[in-house]
Amino acid sequence: MVAWQHRIPTGPVKTATQGTEETINMTNEVGGTMTQEPKQTLPLLFSFREKVWGNGFLAEVSMEGRALLEVETIDGVEETWIKGVQPVGIAAGGASREEAFSSFRKAWLTVLFDLAAETTNFQDFHREVEEFLGSRVDAITRRWWGAVKAVRAEETKAPNLKKGNANRRVKFRVAELEPSATMNVVEAASGKETLPPMAKVAA
Amino acid sequence: MTIKRLFLLVEVLNALDECLPGCRWTIGRHNYRIYPPDGGASCRFPTGAHGKKSGRAEIQRQHVQNLAEVFGVKECLEKALPGL
């Protein structure tokens, strides 16, 4: 269960990585001036588990990964974006933290769907998914740790968010399921989620 | 500073040609996948509903910013794509 019930406070805040305050004046495509207030950055830990149909196989993919949540206010309207740290290279946004997290989970899943469609057997799918889930970039990982440091120093506030151990290792698993598990997927699809998404602030 | 909320895919790809020559891209069912020339981590944009094959698809600014950070070409892309 995601414990995001309140929005991150708006207004000028220190960015987690740079520790500076600034206001940027911007103009949109039709020429109206917009004001962007500084971003707030939170380091997230997430846990996903999903079943994916491929060409002649059924797989279960689970992951405990890392992401960065960024909040920016443009012309008074708050937007939240979540960017993958591991896996890297995916991002999703929304008007609230809940919406952004839901979109991020969907983005993660659509990559698995793409890989399932592009591969012809479980072995190839397994290899491609492991490459995706293991992907990271040092500079972004360093930024994530910078955000962790800011949370630990209480420079960044994360009200009403659960905290998790930032030292938790990133883990993932790609397993082929037996046909008997297929029935569970069908049942799960018609009812509750197979595993609710979990997200915590890394500290 | 002028910002844009959306960029055409073709604009992004042209800017990448300038900043990181040798990138290639593919279209999946749900995502465009952009590969850097050095074989490092790739980046994905959601395909959206329109203009999938014409390069007219619109990509949200934050996706482009994410790509710029992943590929380590932030400064160059910001110059090549005014409004980023």
Side-chain angles (χ1 to χ4, degrees):
Chain A
M1 180 95 183
V2 183
W4 293 349
Q5 290 154 0
H6 298 279
R7 297 164 79 84
I8 292 175
T10 58
V13 291
K14 288 183 178 179
T15 60
T17 51
Q18 296 171 0
T20 57
E21 292 187 17
E22 58 178 343
T23 297
I24 304 166
N25 292 316
M26 299 181 294
T27 306
N28 65 16
E29 285 175 284
V30 291
T33 300
M34 297 194 297
T35 301
Q36 183 186 39
E37 292 171 7
K39 289 178 180 177
Q40 183 179 33
T41 305
L42 285 174
L44 295 185
L45 300 167
F46 67 83
S47 301
F48 295 153
R49 180 183 294 174
E50 294 286 353
K51 293 182 177 70
V52 179
W53 282 105
N55 292 312
F57 64 87
L58 174 65
E60 183 178 77
V61 181
S62 55
M63 176 172 210
E64 293 183 354
R66 295 173 176 169
L68 273 171
L69 179 151
E70 295 177 342
V71 179
E72 59 185 358
T73 304
I74 299 177
D75 212 13
V77 179
E78 194 173 276
E79 282 185 27
T80 302
W81 278 79
I82 298 180
K83 297 174 178 178
V85 174
Q86 189 171 345
V88 79
I90 56 170
S96 65
R97 283 183 283 181
E98 292 90 342
E99 196 178 306
F101 186 71
S102 174
S103 298
F104 180 73
R105 186 183 190 188
K106 187 179 166 192
W108 181 86
L109 184 57
T110 62
V111 174
L112 302 185
F113 287 159
D114 277 352
L115 295 176
E118 290 161 10
T119 51
T120 56
N121 57 62
F122 175 74
Q123 289 72 27
D124 289 351
F125 175 75
H126 184 279
R127 189 183 60 250
E128 292 287 332
V129 171
E130 284 210 326
E131 183 187 326
F132 165 57
L133 300 182
S135 65
R136 62 192 171 92
V137 168
D138 288 346
I140 297 175
T141 303
R142 279 196 298 274
R143 200 154 76 80
W144 187 85
W145 279 108
V148 170
K149 197 175 168 185
V151 170
R152 286 175 174 169
E154 298 191 347
E155 290 168 10
T156 304
K157 304 291 183 189
N160 302 309
L161 293 183
K162 291 180 182 174
K163 287 188 179 176
N165 183 359
N167 294 317
R168 181 183 85 173
R169 288 183 59 191
V170 172
K171 289 189 287 191
F172 48 85
R173 181 170 178 266
V174 186
E176 186 168 19
L177 298 180
E178 295 299 318
S180 59
T182 307
M183 297 305 291
N184 295 333
V185 172
V186 173
E187 287 169 12
S190 63
K192 296 176 183 175
E193 293 181 62
T194 52
L195 186 74
M198 294 171 67
K200 296 174 182 172
V201 174
Chain B
M1 183 180 168
T2 301
I3 66 158
K4 289 171 72 176
R5 286 186 178 276
L6 298 167
F7 292 88
L8 293 177
L9 176 65
V10 69
E11 285 181 308
V12 178
L13 296 173
N14 287 340
L16 264 181
D17 268 347
E18 225 175 276
C19 297
L20 196 61
C23 287
R24 61 189 183 89
W25 62 287
T26 57
I27 308 176
R29 284 189 185 174
H30 302 279
N31 297 287
Y32 298 103
R33 185 173 178 184
I34 320 290
Y35 299 81
D38 64 358
S42 58
C43 208
R44 290 169 167 93
F45 301 147
T47 50
H50 306 290
K52 281 178 73 169
K53 292 181 181 173
S54 65
R56 305 296 295 173
E58 291 175 321
I59 311 296
Q60 285 175 284
R61 178 173 56 94
Q62 289 87 347
H63 285 293
V64 184
Q65 288 177 331
N66 190 43
L67 174 138
E69 197 171 358
V70 172
F71 286 3
V73 291
K74 197 172 174 184
E75 277 185 29
C76 181
L77 270 192
E78 282 175 352
K79 282 181 192 164
L81 285 174
L84 183 63

